[in-house]
Protein backbone atom coordinates (compact mmCIF):
# COMPACT_ATOMS: atom_id res chain seq x y z
CA UNK A 1 0.00 0.00 0.00
CA UNK A 2 1.40 3.42 -0.92
CA UNK A 3 1.71 6.22 1.59
CA UNK A 4 -1.21 8.10 0.00
CA UNK A 5 -3.42 4.98 0.18
CA UNK A 6 -2.58 4.56 3.85
CA UNK A 7 -3.44 8.19 4.59
CA UNK A 8 -6.69 8.02 2.62
CA UNK A 9 -7.68 4.73 4.32
CA UNK A 10 -7.02 6.30 7.71
CA UNK A 11 -9.09 9.39 6.87
CA UNK A 12 -11.96 7.29 5.48
CA UNK A 13 -11.91 5.22 8.68
CA UNK A 14 -12.16 8.35 10.81
CA UNK A 15 -15.13 9.52 8.71
CA UNK A 16 -16.75 6.09 9.10
CA UNK A 17 -16.43 6.29 12.89
CA UNK A 18 -17.90 9.79 12.96
CA UNK A 19 -20.78 8.69 10.70
CA UNK A 20 -21.51 5.67 12.93
CA UNK A 21 -21.61 7.86 16.03
CA UNK A 22 -23.82 10.41 14.26
CA UNK A 23 -26.30 7.72 13.23
CA UNK A 24 -26.47 6.39 16.78
CA UNK A 25 -27.21 9.89 18.08
CA UNK A 26 -29.95 10.68 15.53
CA UNK A 27 -32.53 8.23 16.81
CA UNK A 28 -35.77 7.52 14.93
CA UNK A 29 -34.80 8.73 11.44
CA UNK A 30 -31.59 6.71 11.49
CA UNK A 31 -33.30 3.68 9.92
CA UNK A 32 -34.02 5.61 6.72
CA UNK A 33 -30.51 7.06 6.72
CA UNK A 34 -29.02 3.57 6.92
CA UNK A 35 -31.11 2.38 3.97
CA UNK A 36 -30.21 5.47 1.94
CA UNK A 37 -26.52 5.12 2.86
CA UNK A 38 -26.38 1.49 1.72
CA UNK A 39 -28.16 2.31 -1.53
CA UNK A 40 -25.93 5.28 -2.37
CA UNK A 41 -22.73 3.36 -1.61
CA UNK A 42 -23.79 0.46 -3.80
CA UNK A 43 -24.78 2.88 -6.57
CA UNK A 44 -21.41 4.63 -6.44
CA UNK A 45 -19.58 1.29 -6.40
CA UNK A 46 -21.57 0.00 -9.37
CA UNK A 47 -20.94 3.16 -11.39
CA UNK A 48 -17.21 2.92 -10.63
CA UNK A 49 -17.16 -0.70 -11.78
CA UNK A 50 -19.07 0.09 -14.99
CA UNK A 51 -16.80 3.03 -15.80
CA UNK A 52 -13.78 0.81 -15.15
CA UNK A 53 -15.22 -1.82 -17.46
CA UNK A 54 -15.84 0.60 -20.32
CA UNK A 55 -12.46 2.30 -19.92
CA UNK A 56 -10.19 -0.67 -19.41
CA UNK A 57 -11.62 -4.01 -18.35
CA UNK A 58 -13.40 -4.79 -21.61
CA UNK A 59 -9.97 -5.38 -23.13
CA UNK A 60 -8.85 -7.66 -20.29
CA UNK A 61 -9.23 -11.38 -19.84
CA UNK A 62 -12.20 -11.84 -17.51
CA UNK A 63 -13.36 -8.27 -18.00
CA UNK A 64 -16.96 -9.30 -18.51
CA UNK A 65 -17.04 -10.40 -14.88
CA UNK A 66 -16.52 -6.76 -13.88
CA UNK A 67 -19.40 -5.75 -16.16
CA UNK A 68 -21.66 -8.37 -14.60
CA UNK A 69 -20.69 -7.35 -11.08
CA UNK A 70 -21.31 -3.69 -11.92
CA UNK A 71 -24.77 -4.49 -13.25
CA UNK A 72 -25.52 -6.68 -10.23
CA UNK A 73 -24.49 -3.92 -7.80
CA UNK A 74 -26.58 -1.43 -9.77
CA UNK A 75 -29.60 -3.72 -9.44
CA UNK A 76 -28.94 -4.17 -5.72
CA UNK A 77 -28.75 -0.42 -5.17
CA UNK A 78 -32.06 0.11 -6.96
CA UNK A 79 -33.54 -2.68 -4.86
CA UNK A 80 -32.35 -1.02 -1.66
CA UNK A 81 -33.81 2.33 -2.76
CA UNK A 82 -37.17 0.57 -2.91
CA UNK A 83 -36.80 -0.90 0.60
CA UNK A 84 -37.88 2.28 2.36
CA UNK A 85 -41.55 1.26 2.23
CA UNK A 86 -41.29 -2.36 3.31
CA UNK A 87 -41.09 -3.88 6.81
CA UNK A 88 -37.80 -4.01 8.67
CA UNK A 89 -37.75 -7.81 8.54
CA UNK A 90 -36.78 -7.76 4.88
CA UNK A 91 -34.06 -5.19 5.47
CA UNK A 92 -32.66 -7.34 8.27
CA UNK A 93 -32.72 -10.41 6.04
CA UNK A 94 -30.84 -8.42 3.42
CA UNK A 95 -28.26 -7.39 6.04
CA UNK A 96 -27.98 -11.03 7.12
CA UNK A 97 -27.21 -12.04 3.55
CA UNK A 98 -24.62 -9.29 3.13
CA UNK A 99 -22.90 -9.99 6.44
CA UNK A 100 -22.92 -13.77 6.06
CA UNK A 101 -21.55 -13.61 2.52
CA UNK A 102 -18.90 -11.06 3.48
CA UNK A 103 -17.89 -13.12 6.50
CA UNK A 104 -17.67 -16.33 4.48
CA UNK A 105 -15.50 -14.65 1.84
CA UNK A 106 -13.21 -13.19 4.52
CA UNK A 107 -12.82 -16.58 6.20
CA UNK A 108 -12.05 -18.28 2.87
CA UNK A 109 -9.49 -15.57 2.03
CA UNK A 110 -7.94 -16.01 5.48
CA UNK A 111 -7.54 -19.73 4.89
CA UNK A 112 -5.82 -18.99 1.56
CA UNK A 113 -3.53 -16.47 3.28
CA UNK A 114 -2.70 -19.05 5.95
CA UNK A 115 -1.46 -21.39 3.22
CA UNK A 116 0.70 -18.55 1.83
CA UNK A 117 2.11 -17.63 5.27
CA UNK A 118 0.52 -14.15 5.22
CA UNK A 119 -1.43 -12.10 7.78
CA UNK A 120 -4.44 -14.38 8.03
CA UNK A 121 -5.59 -14.14 11.65
CA UNK A 122 -6.97 -10.60 11.44
CA UNK A 123 -8.99 -11.41 8.33
CA UNK A 124 -10.33 -14.59 9.92
CA UNK A 125 -11.44 -12.62 12.98
CA UNK A 126 -13.09 -10.07 10.69
CA UNK A 127 -14.99 -12.85 8.91
CA UNK A 128 -16.05 -14.40 12.21
CA UNK A 129 -17.35 -11.05 13.48
CA UNK A 130 -19.37 -10.62 10.27
CA UNK A 131 -20.89 -14.09 10.66
CA UNK A 132 -21.70 -13.40 14.33
CA UNK A 133 -23.29 -10.10 13.27
CA UNK A 134 -25.42 -12.03 10.76
CA UNK A 135 -26.57 -14.39 13.51
CA UNK A 136 -27.51 -11.39 15.70
CA UNK A 137 -29.44 -9.95 12.76
CA UNK A 138 -31.38 -13.20 12.42
CA UNK A 139 -32.23 -13.32 16.10
CA UNK A 140 -33.26 -9.64 16.36
CA UNK A 141 -34.81 -9.08 12.95
CA UNK A 142 -38.03 -7.22 13.80
CA UNK A 143 -36.77 -4.01 15.40
CA UNK A 144 -35.59 -0.98 13.39
CA UNK A 145 -33.40 0.20 16.26
CA UNK A 146 -31.50 -3.08 16.10
CA UNK A 147 -30.92 -2.57 12.35
CA UNK A 148 -29.33 0.78 13.14
CA UNK A 149 -27.29 -0.54 16.07
CA UNK A 150 -25.90 -3.52 14.17
CA UNK A 151 -25.15 -1.34 11.14
CA UNK A 152 -23.30 1.18 13.30
CA UNK A 153 -21.35 -1.54 15.08
CA UNK A 154 -20.29 -3.11 11.78
CA UNK A 155 -19.40 0.32 10.38
CA UNK A 156 -17.29 1.08 13.46
CA UNK A 157 -15.66 -2.35 13.32
CA UNK A 158 -14.80 -1.97 9.62
CA UNK A 159 -13.32 1.45 10.37
CA UNK A 160 -11.10 -0.01 13.08
CA UNK A 161 -9.99 -2.78 10.73
CA UNK A 162 -9.21 -0.17 8.07
CA UNK A 163 -7.07 1.76 10.54
CA UNK A 164 -5.21 -1.41 11.53
CA UNK A 165 -4.52 -2.18 7.86
CA UNK A 166 -3.35 1.39 7.28
CA UNK A 167 -0.76 1.36 10.07
CA UNK A 168 0.44 -2.19 9.39
CA UNK A 169 3.73 -2.34 7.48
CA UNK A 170 3.46 -3.39 3.85
CA UNK A 171 4.38 -7.04 3.16
CA UNK A 172 5.37 -6.62 -0.46
CA UNK A 173 9.02 -6.09 -1.25
CA UNK A 174 9.45 -3.31 -3.78
CA UNK A 175 12.43 -3.45 -6.12
CA UNK A 176 13.55 0.01 -7.16
Amino acid sequence: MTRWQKISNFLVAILMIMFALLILLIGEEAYMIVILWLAVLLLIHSIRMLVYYFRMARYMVGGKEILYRGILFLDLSMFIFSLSRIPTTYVMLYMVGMLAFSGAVDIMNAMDLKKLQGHWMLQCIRGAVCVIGAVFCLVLKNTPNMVVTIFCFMLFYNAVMRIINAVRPTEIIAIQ
Side-chain angles (χ1 to χ4, degrees):
M1 205 185 288
T2 64
R3 188 172 290 157
W4 170 247
Q5 287 173 333
K6 288 183 178 193
I7 291 170
S8 65
N9 271 341
F10 189 80
L11 292 176
V12 167
I14 297 298
L15 288 174
M16 287 169 66
I17 291 172
M18 290 188 327
F19 185 71
L21 292 175
L22 179 71
I23 287 178
L24 281 176
L25 294 176
I26 287 176
E28 293 295 320
E29 292 85 29
Y31 176 71
M32 295 304 293
I33 292 172
V34 166
I35 291 176
L36 185 65
W37 177 259
L38 287 173
V40 167
L41 283 180
L42 275 175
L43 182 66
I44 291 170
H45 185 66
S46 67
I47 290 171
R48 286 181 62 203
M49 289 184 83
L50 291 173
V51 166
Y52 176 66
Y53 170 76
F54 287 115
R55 281 192 166 175
M56 182 187 272
R58 65 181 170 173
Y59 304 113
M60 295 172 18
V61 174
K64 286 196 182 206
E65 177 190 339
I66 293 172
L67 173 68
Y68 298 146
R69 286 173 48 200
I71 292 171
L72 177 69
F73 286 140
L74 184 65
D75 288 343
L76 284 174
S77 70
M78 294 302 141
F79 174 68
I80 292 176
F81 272 124
S82 69
L83 288 180
S84 62
R85 295 177 184 86
I86 64 171
T88 59
T89 304
Y90 297 118
V91 176
M92 285 300 268
L93 290 176
Y94 181 71
M95 280 183 68
V96 165
M98 281 183 15
L99 287 174
F101 182 74
S102 173
V105 167
D106 281 343
I107 290 172
M108 287 189 308
N109 285 340
M111 293 303 120
D112 287 341
L113 281 174
K114 184 177 180 183
K115 291 176 188 174
L116 297 173
Q117 315 299 324
H119 291 289
W120 64 274
M121 185 63 91
L122 198 59
Q123 193 162 10
C124 188
I125 291 171
R126 182 178 183 168
V129 167
C130 285
V131 170
I132 290 169
V135 169
F136 277 130
C137 283
L138 272 178
V139 172
L140 307 166
K141 66 181 175 211
N142 290 328
T143 58
N145 290 336
M146 213 27 115
V147 172
V148 172
T149 304
I150 291 173
F151 177 78
C152 289
F153 173 74
M154 294 308 292
L155 193 64
F156 182 77
Y157 180 72
N158 283 327
V160 169
M161 296 302 284
R162 196 179 269 254
I163 289 172
I164 290 171
N165 284 333
V167 297
R168 180 189 301 170
T170 305
E171 290 182 1
I172 300 172
I173 298 172
I175 300 172
Q176 297 180 7

